[in-house]
């Protein structure tokens, strides 16, 4: 199996995309540590064990640096050194023009999505660097490379996650540790359900419900399969770049990977046309 024996950590693993990623990694032979704030991570861990996989749940807030350090140490004792971290935990609650949204909610989206990713990376990197081995996947999303008028906090944070990924990836060159960004596509989750029922969401993000009505609903298994391929090392040449679950990137050929590198695609660039740097597709892709 592609992740046989690897120790994989998934944040926000109690539901939606995180749950799908954890389940796929376990199916690929990984020992999976599920991180989340609530009891749902324990339910998912039990589901994985019931299916013959190996999983443990750890209750922690990704904004709690001391708590993350403690959890990273516990995972090391329970499973061994961490091989793959998938930063999935995210927030999108500030919807609408900035003069209407709650400033604290807007900042919470920024803080959880960027600082939470930073905190988790910082918690696992020292061990990875010491072993000169490890991979990290940071999830992006809508607004990463295009304007997101009524989701400015979320979009700004996800663009920041891609730039963070590129910057840290360059810092890691020659260390044996690699970092990637990944867009899971439009997945029906608790987050999108909130956007479709919240008054501000219904007013400003009505296209999400329309997309689902048209049958555009990316299964979380695609994100899970892509993390398995990244964790296997097949995409190491794309470190620092973004991969797309909804586009079926888990099936990219070696020639296609070489072309991405040669043309310097899947990155956040100021210069060049969208055709030259297609880092972000349509929101329904």
């Amino acid at each position: 199996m592609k992740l046989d024996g690897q120790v994989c950590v998934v944040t926000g693993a109690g539901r939606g995309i995180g749950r799908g990623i954890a389940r796929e990694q376990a199916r690929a032979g990984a020992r999976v540590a599920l991180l989340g704030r609530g009891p749902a991570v324990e339910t998912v861990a039990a589901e994985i064990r019931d299916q013959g996989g190996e999983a443990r749940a750890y209750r922690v807030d990704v904004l709690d640096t001391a708590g993350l350090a403690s959890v990273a140490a516990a995972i090391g004792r329970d499973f061994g050194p961490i091989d793959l971290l998938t930063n999935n935990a995210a927030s999108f609650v500030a919807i609408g023009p900035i003069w209407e949204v709650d400033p604290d909610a807007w900042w919470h989206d920024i803080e959880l999505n960027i600082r939470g990713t930073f905190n988790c990376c910082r918690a696992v990197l020292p061990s990875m660097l010491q072993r000169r081995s490890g991979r990290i996947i940071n999830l992006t999303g809508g607004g990463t490379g295009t304007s997101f008028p009524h989701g400015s906090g979320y979009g700004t944070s996800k663009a920041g996650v891609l730039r963070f990924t590129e910057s840290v990836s360059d810092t890691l060159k020659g260390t044996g540790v690699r970092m990637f960004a990944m867009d899971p596509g439009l997945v029906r989750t608790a987050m999108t359900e909130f956007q479709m029922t919240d008054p501000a969401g219904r007013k400003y993000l009505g296209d999400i419900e329309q997309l689902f009505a048209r049958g555009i609903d990316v299964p979380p298994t695609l994100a899970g399969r892509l993390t398995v391929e990244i964790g296997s090392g097949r995409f190491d040449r794309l470190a620092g770049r973004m991969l797309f679950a909804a586009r079926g990137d888990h099936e990219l050929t070696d020639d296609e990977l070489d072309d991405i590198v040669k043309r310097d695609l899947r990155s956040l660039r100021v210069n060049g046309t969208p055709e030259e740097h297609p880092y972000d597709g349509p929101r329904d892709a």
Side-chain angles (χ1 to χ4, degrees):
M1 291 185 282
K2 292 185 176 180
L3 299 182
D4 193 25
Q6 285 201 35
V7 176
C8 298
V9 177
V10 182
T11 70
R15 59 187 183 182
I17 297 169
R19 176 177 178 267
I21 289 172
R23 287 164 62 94
E24 289 297 316
Q25 291 179 356
R27 288 192 185 102
R31 292 172 285 173
V32 185
L34 294 86
L35 274 56
R37 291 180 299 174
V41 287
E42 295 163 6
T43 301
V44 178
E47 291 174 355
I48 291 172
R49 290 193 296 268
D50 288 345
Q51 295 171 0
E54 195 171 352
R56 284 176 179 258
Y58 300 85
R59 301 276 289 275
V60 68
D61 188 327
V62 296
L63 296 181
D64 179 1
T65 54
L68 284 170
S70 178
V71 164
I75 294 170
R77 292 191 299 269
D78 295 338
F79 281 149
I82 296 167
D83 298 295
L84 175 65
L85 164 66
T86 303
N87 282 307
N88 165 73
S91 173
F92 185 179
V93 295
I95 302 171
I98 65 166
W99 54 89
E100 292 185 9
V101 300
D102 181 340
D104 291 334
W106 192 92
W107 185 247
H108 178 73
D109 288 344
I110 297 286
E111 185 175 32
L112 183 65
N113 299 346
I114 296 182
R115 186 181 168 199
T117 298
F118 168 89
N119 285 347
C120 294
C121 291
R122 196 171 188 274
V124 305
L125 274 169
S127 174
M128 289 182 173
L129 289 167
Q130 185 177 25
R131 292 181 292 114
R132 300 188 64 81
S133 176
R135 297 179 180 86
I136 296 174
I137 304 169
N138 301 320
L139 265 65
T140 59
T144 300
T146 56
S147 173
F148 201 164
H150 298 301
S152 60
Y154 182 82
T156 298
S157 72
K158 291 303 184 177
V161 167
L162 179 53
R163 178 61 82 211
F164 172 80
T165 300
E166 293 175 329
S167 299
V168 179
S169 178
D170 285 341
T171 307
L172 292 171
K173 284 181 178 177
T175 68
V177 182
R178 295 171 174 84
M179 184 176 287
F180 308 81
M182 185 185 80
D183 185 339
L186 181 62
V187 182
R188 187 180 290 272
T189 63
M191 182 183 290
T192 53
E193 292 292 342
F194 168 77
Q195 293 161 4
M196 290 188 291
T197 57
D198 177 75
R202 294 188 65 82
K203 179 178 180 180
Y204 293 115
L205 299 178
D207 59 323
I208 293 179
E209 189 169 7
Q210 294 171 15
L211 291 170
F212 283 133
R214 285 165 46 195
I216 298 170
D217 183 1
V218 180
T221 52
L222 288 184
R225 290 174 192 170
L226 186 51
T227 68
V228 168
E229 294 299 320
I230 295 171
S232 75
R234 193 164 75 84
F235 293 152
D236 280 357
R237 74 191 84 171
L238 298 187
R241 303 178 189 273
M242 188 153 80
L243 290 150
F244 296 85
R247 295 183 184 179
D249 276 1
H250 60 284
E251 297 179 341
L252 283 171
T253 66
D254 285 343
D255 286 344
E256 289 170 324
L257 297 179
D258 288 340
D259 184 63
I260 289 170
V261 175
K262 180 180 179 180
R263 297 170 60 199
D264 191 23
L265 305 179
R266 309 296 186 91
S267 55
L268 196 61
R269 298 286 186 264
V270 173
N271 297 320
T273 66
E275 290 74 22
E276 292 169 331
H277 297 287
Y279 46 74
D280 200 12
R283 288 187 52 209
D284 59 344

